[in-house]
Amino acid sequence: MNLKEKYTELLIHIGFSTNEIQKNWFDLEKAYSNKSRHYHNLTHIKDMIFSFETYLDKLQKPNEILFSIFYHDYIYNSRKKDNELKSAQYALSVLPENISFDRQLVFDTICATQQHQHNAIEDINWLIDFDLKILARDWEDYQVYFEQIRKEYRIYPDLLYKPGRAKALKHFLENESIFQTDEFRNLYEEKARMNIQKEIKLLS
């Protein structure tokens, strides 16, 4: 899958001009290719779009969800706690004023990736699950994932990072379920919980 082609196709459909699309793609690619990004990069976006395409027929507003996937980690700074809000605000700033597009859904969807909690809007639940599917990978891939996350937080010593990471992981386990859709719960819940429990043991 060519991400630039997918992005271009989406923006043409939304109503962007060719020049706008080229500029926005340049900005997007630059943001996600920053050297400080080891996990939250274009590979992560590509993985989410694979899930998006797999479950496309489940979505009420697929264009808004796809747009949200492209922009949900646009702003990413491991020292900040408002990345999702800033990414949502930026995503809206990119959208032309004169198009028919559910801006509120885009804003709410991107903000929902901060807490990953069940939402009344099912499209948002699908995107949350696409975002968290990494948690249910085979252990070798899951190890690569958490090592990449550690690199993104390398400014913090183990003394700070390990308890912080463990707390975030335990938060997932304390929820009734990690995944928000029945499909993902049935397929991935057990595996994700096993992976998280193993990582927590390594952090202690």
Side-chain angles (χ1 to χ4, degrees):
M1 178 209 321
N2 185 307
L3 274 187
K4 186 178 181 181
E5 286 175 12
K6 191 81 183 170
Y7 181 82
T8 301
E9 180 187 312
L10 172 67
L11 266 60
I12 288 171
H13 188 82
I14 292 172
F16 282 75
S17 70
T18 304
N19 286 342
E20 288 171 331
I21 293 169
Q22 287 179 337
K23 180 193 181 301
N24 288 330
W25 172 256
F26 176 82
D27 292 343
L28 189 96
E29 188 176 40
K30 184 179 177 184
Y32 281 98
S33 302
N34 188 290
K35 60 179 172 47
S36 66
R37 293 184 184 234
H38 300 273
Y39 175 71
H40 293 91
N41 52 31
L42 291 173
T43 300
H44 172 52
I45 300 302
K46 190 177 284 192
D47 286 345
M48 284 185 69
I49 291 175
F50 179 80
S51 293
F52 165 85
E53 291 180 335
T54 303
Y55 295 98
L56 185 60
D57 63 335
K58 305 283 189 183
L59 301 170
Q60 299 297 311
K61 295 189 175 179
N63 288 336
E64 281 83 350
I65 295 304
L66 182 54
F67 190 81
S68 299
I69 288 172
F70 274 114
Y71 282 97
H72 80 287
D73 284 327
Y74 186 88
I75 307 292
Y76 187 77
N77 183 336
S78 61
R79 303 179 195 207
K80 305 282 187 180
K81 297 194 182 299
D82 62 352
N83 291 320
E84 294 81 7
L85 174 62
K86 290 281 178 62
S87 294
Q89 290 170 337
Y90 183 83
L92 293 195
S93 77
V94 168
L95 289 166
E97 290 296 328
N98 60 342
I99 59 164
S100 175
F101 205 66
D102 193 338
R103 296 164 186 274
Q104 191 63 50
L105 178 59
V106 169
F107 185 83
D108 292 346
T109 299
I110 294 175
C111 287
T113 61
Q114 181 173 28
Q115 298 293 334
H116 296 105
Q117 298 290 326
H118 193 77
N119 198 284
I121 299 170
E122 195 63 8
D123 275 7
I124 294 179
N125 292 327
W126 280 107
L127 184 135
I128 289 170
D129 284 359
F130 301 159
D131 195 26
L132 295 184
K133 190 182 174 189
I134 185 69
L135 299 176
R137 288 274 184 90
D138 289 340
W139 177 247
E140 290 76 17
D141 291 334
Y142 183 86
Q143 278 185 294
V144 171
Y145 151 70
F146 70 65
E147 286 165 2
Q148 289 170 336
I149 295 293
R150 181 66 184 103
K151 287 177 184 175
E152 290 184 342
Y153 284 84
R154 65 187 177 279
I155 58 164
Y156 298 104
D158 281 350
L159 184 69
L160 293 175
Y161 177 78
K162 286 187 173 183
R165 175 71 177 170
K167 183 182 177 183
L169 293 172
K170 286 171 184 172
H171 179 68
F172 281 122
L173 298 181
E174 287 161 3
N175 289 337
E176 188 178 331
S177 58
I178 294 166
F179 296 105
Q180 309 307 318
T181 64
D182 290 339
E183 279 88 345
F184 271 63
R185 273 196 292 269
N186 292 334
L187 287 168
Y188 304 121
E189 185 76 21
E190 188 179 347
K191 186 75 169 287
R193 286 182 175 271
M194 285 171 58
N195 282 339
I196 289 171
Q197 286 162 351
K198 280 180 80 170
E199 186 185 351
I200 289 170
K201 281 184 182 176
L202 291 175
L203 291 165
S204 59

